[in-house]
Amino acid sequence: MADSRKILLVDNNAEQLAQALPSYGYEVKVANDGKQALAYLESGEKFDIVLLEILLPELDGWDTLKAIRKSYLYGEIPVIYLTVESDVRKMVFGLNLGADDYIVKPFNLKNLLARIDAVLRRSKRFGIGSFTTNVTNNQKSLKNHLTPREKDVLLLVAKGLDNSSIAKELYVSTITVKAHMQSIFRKLKVKSRTQAILSAMENDLINK
């Protein structure tokens, strides 16, 4: 990897992974809880991605992600839940909060690396710069309300891809795409994919 990319690893039991990731070209900084993670992000230190456990002291992973997504400074940073919480309902809940992916421990390191790389690649591909900047207050509100991954999904929906094809394109499961679609419908206050596309076009979330 030509350029080292920086990971914020938020876990109070992260020593083994923190030692392994630099061998694959990543610089790692560890936060033991959500409050420390937010302090690092607030400091202005640049991170490319956050790996976030849910079960944390002080501030858990749910509230940590909520705080991240509300921020105008770092709200678009990719976040992957890396957690022992394996309940499917919690997975859907986490994705609806704005997580880019959800990986259950124990995990295969090669699979984790592939999914980190996939999130970083699509984050670059569907970055903030691909969206119109001259927008109304309502458009800004909608853009800030949708998570980066929901914007990715919306762009692919507009291209005519079904859930299975979107899942392959974004290297995620179909259930992940379904969770994102449910969230998009709720936030845009629509009931169909066509309505979602029209709403996105009207508010310049995607190009007409």
Side-chain angles (χ1 to χ4, degrees), residues 34-156:
K35 285 188 177 181
Q36 187 176 34
L38 294 176
Y40 287 151
L41 291 168
E42 289 285 350
S43 72
E45 186 171 357
K46 184 182 181 300
F47 297 96
D48 294 288
I49 193 167
V50 177
L51 302 183
L52 179 61
E53 172 60 90
I54 292 169
L55 302 178
L56 297 169
E58 296 296 324
L59 190 70
D60 67 22
W62 305 127
D63 288 335
T64 300
L65 182 56
K66 288 177 185 177
I68 289 173
R69 291 298 179 236
K70 287 178 181 177
S71 173
Y72 287 98
L73 296 175
Y74 47 81
E76 299 261 347
I77 190 169
V79 177
I80 296 177
Y81 272 126
L82 188 59
T83 178
V84 296
E85 293 283 8
S86 59
D87 190 295
V88 173
R89 290 171 298 180
K90 291 183 178 180
M91 178 186 295
V92 173
F93 180 72
L95 292 167
N96 283 334
L97 281 182
D100 296 273
D101 204 346
Y102 191 111
I103 302 173
V104 177
K105 300 176 184 176
F107 54 85
N108 178 282
L109 182 58
K110 289 185 177 180
N111 179 56
L112 172 63
L113 292 167
R115 289 167 77 167
I116 290 173
D117 189 56
V119 167
L120 289 173
R121 280 190 284 108
R122 67 181 183 252
S123 178
K124 182 178 180 181
R125 180 180 175 188
F126 299 113
I128 301 171
S130 64
F131 295 92
T132 307
T133 56
N134 183 20
V135 296
T136 66
N137 288 334
N138 181 56
Q139 292 164 355
K140 288 179 181 178
S141 176
L142 280 174
K143 287 185 181 185
N144 291 330
H145 201 35
L146 292 178
T147 69
R149 200 53 55 234
E150 287 165 0
K151 294 173 186 177
D152 297 350
V153 171
L154 195 52
L155 283 169
L156 294 174

